[in-house]
Amino acid sequence: RVRRVAPRLKHYGLLRTADERGLQTTMVDFLEALEVKHFTEATVETRATSLCFFLRWCVERSLRRPEELTRPTISYSAPTPPSGAGMA
């Protein structure tokens, strides 16, 4: 059952890379773990889609490894909300 996710990952552009500790490989491991734990196919698909958007965001900022994702790095890279956003 674990191998079921592999063909879909190509569609999302998520494949294992030579860097065993890289973000992309870590994300593939996470999705395979969801299948091992018998999460539904829809859940795995949704997580894969979300991770692809997140991975693209990371690559645009040259973030390639999980340890590079620190609160200061993410806060610095996050867009600033428009003034008054979230005010009722």
Side-chain angles (χ1 to χ4, degrees), residues 44-57:
V44 176
E45 292 274 343
T46 300
R47 300 279 170 87
T49 301
S50 298
L51 285 172
C52 285
F53 285 115
F54 181 65
L55 182 62
R56 187 174 305 134
W57 182 89

Side-chain angles (χ1 to χ4, degrees), residues 20-62:
E20 292 181 8
R21 293 178 35 206
L23 276 175
Q24 203 160 326
T25 298
T26 302
M27 290 176 181
V28 171
D29 291 345
F30 170 74
L31 293 170
E32 288 178 349
L34 292 180
E35 287 199 330
V36 168
K37 294 178 182 181
H38 304 290
F39 280 73
T40 67
E41 188 171 332
T43 297
V44 176
E45 292 274 343
T46 300
R47 300 279 170 87
T49 301
S50 298
L51 285 172
C52 285
F53 285 115
F54 181 65
L55 182 62
R56 187 174 305 134
W57 182 89
C58 290
V59 169
E60 288 171 358
R61 288 153 182 82
S62 299

